[in-house]
Amino acid sequence: MWQSSAAAGRLLLCSGRSWLQLRGYSSTVISGKTVEDGVLSSFRSICGEDGVSLGQAVREQHGKDESVHRCCPPDVVVFPRCVEEVSALARVCHSHRLPIIPFGTGTGLEGGVGAVKGGVCFSLRKMDAVLDLHPEDFDVTVEPGVTRKALNAYLRDTGLWFPVDPGADASLCGMAATSASGTNAVRYGTMRENVLNLEVVLADGSVLHTAGKGRRPRFPLRLINLIVKNSRPAFSFRKTAAGYNLTNLLVGSEGTLGIITKTTLRLYGVPEATASAVCSFPSVQAAVDSTVQVLQAGVPIARIEFLDDVMIDACNRFSSLNYPVTPTLFLEFHGSERSLEEQVSTTEEITQSNGGADFQWARDAETRSRLWKARHDAWYASLALRPGCKAYATDVCVPLSRLPQIIVETKEDLIENRLTGPIAGHVGDGNFHCVMVVNPDDPDELHRVHLFTQRLARRALAMDGTCTGEHGVGLGKRSLLCEEMGDPAMRAMQSVKEALDPLNLMNPGKVLQPGGPGDAQQLFLHLD
Amino acid sequence: MWQSSAAAGRLLLCSGRSWLQLRGYSSTVISGKTVEDGVLSSFRSICGEDGVSLGQAVREQHGKDESVHRCCPPDVVVFPRCVEEVSALARVCHSHRLPIIPFGTGTGLEGGVGAVKGGVCFSLRKMDAVLDLHPEDFDVTVEPGVTRKALNAYLRDTGLWFPVDPGADASLCGMAATSASGTNAVRYGTMRENVLNLEVVLADGSVLHTAGKGRRPRFPLRLINLIVKNSRPAFSFRKTAAGYNLTNLLVGSEGTLGIITKTTLRLYGVPEATASAVCSFPSVQAAVDSTVQVLQAGVPIARIEFLDDVMIDACNRFSSLNYPVTPTLFLEFHGSERSLEEQVSTTEEITQSNGGADFQWARDAETRSRLWKARHDAWYASLALRPGCKAYATDVCVPLSRLPQIIVETKEDLIENRLTGPIAGHVGDGNFHCVMVVNPDDPDELHRVHLFTQRLARRALAMDGTCTGEHGVGLGKRSLLCEEMGDPAMRAMQSVKEALDPLNLMNPGKVLQPGGPGDAQQLFLHLD
């Protein structure tokens, strides 16, 4: 979930001289890069010979995420094994003024991991322990190498699970860093609501806990004896009014304020019962109206995902399904058997009153998993619409009441401008994605996509929405962020950044420092 | 909810010279205070003759909250009528280096409003409009003069309500500033989860919106036509990953980072059905075990309040009730008729298995309101135990699993040290208060109370808890905050403070800058 770049690596790649070299360090050319010997031996003395890599393949692998942003490799990749090593490495970088780029799984979507000013990539995959599971308190602490699927596999026999599910199998600390979200957010919230505490290493190597030091002893798993009937624990499980909320300042900071080395997460009981359904609608308006009404009726729905006709067609082709090619909702309900009945009947009533038809139910795990696999494969299904093309997902989010209007207008815009952009959305949150499938060799199309994404973001802003519901700012949305927040708020963000990272070493060039009006355009001119 | 002080006003009261005078401004003595003429005329030209007060009674009224901290009046009180006036006043203060202390209703509990360095109190009561109600999106924006009861009265005919309920009828912007909470937090969360956006004036007068500028048109009330069957809207209603989370940085900052001039809040549908109950238990352990199990069973309980035997005895006497004098739970359930049945039956099963008896139900509004009035009067009931004494409420919060142990140990500690401290707690959050009723003229008792509160806080910290679940840090808990967070986190908080308020004008002396080891002790030596 940490990411890659467009303005990417110009300093390095264009000048042919590394960040280190530019600062006049004595140096040796290794793997086509110039890196100072003393720095490298310090790194090696901290995390071992095999904990430091200058290999081109390794650097390139760590210079990009899953987005369209061009690869921008760091000068060197280090693989610390514990927080003490992260801290020691950071101190070396700090004293040599080297940029630090944290790297989890590289599954981000806005160019967050690219080494746009060169520097040292901290790959955190060796720190992969699940620590301090407290089943009785519904929380767990994990290191940055633990992904969401690995955590849920670990939790399998406990009756607990962690619901936040971005498409990729991202690392949980990376998800915290990018304020990730997913299909379950409508019921369980995003990372903002589910991170209870963070251990963070700042640019100067100091280590802090954002919500106090964890002091509880770890409970062995065999002590677990929970009565879990429903899936929601208490809301404000770790209530505190103790000073500034550093936890939520770090969540979503995209590696620009510090390196997250531990995350304490809120867990949930596996629901007693689950039911999924697919329902087709005569129009976008009818599908989205149903969503709004289901939520207004207080149904604690777990997932409510919208796919437009273009997307459902793509999914049918890709996953060999035969859903009607009309606007469609994928739904999921969690709860006790009894509460499920009530949720389902209210929802059926509402969807029918909006002309919803073909309500297809899936109660057994296998059918449910086939249904959701089709939804999760939407990205690949979109790409398959135009072989050889690249994809970029927009990410606007608006207040629920404005959702029908913005989706309808956006579809018209796509048609008018002859663009392929199937829509899938976490409509329960007001958040939706147009998966823009674009020919990277067609400058005219790239330009039309660029103008379209700008129009879409501004349409969302005019409706009191945001340019990014869950993908973050990274490189691609820095100028839109300025439009959204305004100068005084941007100045406040900039001064917070300077307060915690006065040398601008932490993932420089991301979130803040907009590249001017050409910024977003670069995104599409740098598809490779 | 902004507050008063102990170290209070030493600069002013001890030296007999005002902050302004110390800075060498030409000045005139007014109301026993020295205030520079030019500054006062600037204030008057901004908010009118009657918008500036130097009267002793007014200043004293604005120098204290509801806590035991001694009154520490500001040099002058201003009453701005709009954000433009707040901004203009702040610019004057900024250019003259005058401290700015925001004031809502003065109902805080940790000394947050005292003018410990003199300066200008911004009383925000004239800004009392409810703005931008969006019933279809379950949100509303309010000015700082709007209290929680005033908002709920305004919402009466809409089918919506705002659930966060600290004891006092606090202003909602003040509640945001102190990260307030209350009896409904176990289901609806605290201010942290319910503030969607803030308009903030910084020390230099600049105005920012923490989550983007509001742009939606206001919907007239007559358009409301909601289907509200249950009380919970979507979880992450205003999802965003757009830059640093300034909203949650400001929530709980206690006026030390900026003045909150508007708050956008998440609203909830009034529940279809509500039921309250009182249940007596043979022991503290049994009552708290029941709480833990009810929550682990996933019952979406709205309120679960614990009162120990001493507190229930106090309430019986004060409110002419006759509940058994044993550890007791006050409960409330919200939901559809059907879901209520399920919640209640699960809860009854659990409480009975723990020896709970005398389950007294209240379905009608009048009986429910009598029941909850007794709970809300717990503070006065405690004071009535020892006429002529003062009260101070502790505020620790621990993970749920540690709650039985800490309450049992705390009760033993109270008995051993011959202290009166009836316990009431939002036990669903792991948060409880000992209402320490203390004779202000007995130095030995004051000393024992001080040592007790320190032990209690440290007991909570050792259990991975916090020294303050909802009252905030203010003046009284600055040194405990340092113990809880550790030096690196405190340095991070300090640098964030310096970034947004480099001249340390915003409510100086609160939250940060601990007064050293004697800090907490002053609290009890300054009862007046």
Side-chain angles (χ1 to χ4, degrees), chain B residues 88-204:
Chain B
L89 290 165
R91 280 198 302 274
V92 174
C93 291
H94 191 255
S95 67
H96 292 273
R97 307 290 191 263
L98 300 177
I100 295 170
I101 304 109
F103 190 99
T105 51
T107 48
L109 294 173
E110 283 298 344
V113 294
V116 297
K117 296 193 173 187
V120 184
C121 173
F122 282 48
S123 173
L124 301 160
R125 71 174 189 213
K126 285 190 180 172
M127 296 169 65
D128 62 352
V130 176
L131 307 163
D132 299 325
L133 174 66
H134 293 279
E136 72 297 350
D137 288 324
F138 288 75
D139 68 53
V140 69
T141 300
V142 297
E143 289 189 329
V146 180
T147 67
R148 64 178 186 86
K149 286 186 185 170
L151 175 63
N152 280 323
Y154 181 90
L155 294 172
R156 194 166 290 143
D157 299 326
T158 65
L160 297 169
W161 71 307
F162 183 69
V164 183
D165 66 335
D169 185 23
S171 75
L172 292 152
C173 291
M175 284 164 61
T178 55
S179 194
S181 174
T183 64
N184 288 301
V186 63
R187 180 175 174 123
Y188 300 95
T190 71
M191 292 305 279
R192 289 192 176 200
E193 290 86 15
N194 288 294
V195 172
L196 301 170
N197 200 354
L198 296 170
E199 181 185 77
V200 177
V201 177
L202 299 183
D204 64 1

Side-chain angles (χ1 to χ4, degrees), chain A residues 136-137 181 186-187 215-216 227 235 239 241 244 256 296 336 338 341-342 401 429 431 461 464 468, chain B residues 136-137 186-187 215-216 227 235 239 241 244 256 296 336 338 341-342 401 429 431 461 464 468:
Chain A
E136 74 295 351
D137 288 324
S181 175
V186 62
R187 179 173 173 123
R215 293 172 181 88
R216 279 172 304 167
I227 318 161
F235 195 128
K239 197 166 80 170
Y244 303 153
T256 63
Q296 284 180 339
S336 65
R338 227 164 128 183
E341 257 176 57
E342 191 181 4
S401 66
D429 310 321
N431 184 208
L461 296 189
D464 209 5
T468 178
Chain B
E136 72 297 350
D137 288 324
V186 63
R187 180 175 174 123
R215 293 171 181 88
R216 280 172 302 168
I227 317 161
F235 195 128
K239 198 166 80 170
Y244 305 152
T256 63
Q296 284 181 339
S336 65
R338 225 163 129 184
E341 257 176 57
E342 192 181 3
S401 66
D429 309 322
N431 185 207
L461 296 188
D464 210 5
T468 177

Side-chain angles (χ1 to χ4, degrees), chain A residues 131-203:
Chain A
L131 307 163
D132 299 326
L133 174 65
H134 293 280
E136 74 295 351
D137 288 324
F138 288 74
D139 69 53
V140 69
T141 300
V142 297
E143 289 189 329
V146 180
T147 67
R148 66 178 184 86
K149 287 187 184 170
L151 175 63
N152 280 322
Y154 182 91
L155 294 173
R156 195 166 289 143
D157 299 325
T158 65
L160 298 170
W161 72 306
F162 183 70
V164 183
D165 66 336
D169 185 22
S171 75
L172 292 153
C173 290
M175 285 163 62
T178 55
S179 194
S181 175
T183 63
N184 288 302
V186 62
R187 179 173 173 123
Y188 301 96
T190 72
M191 292 305 279
R192 289 191 177 199
E193 289 86 17
N194 288 293
V195 173
L196 301 171
N197 199 353
L198 297 169
E199 181 187 77
V200 177
V201 177
L202 299 183

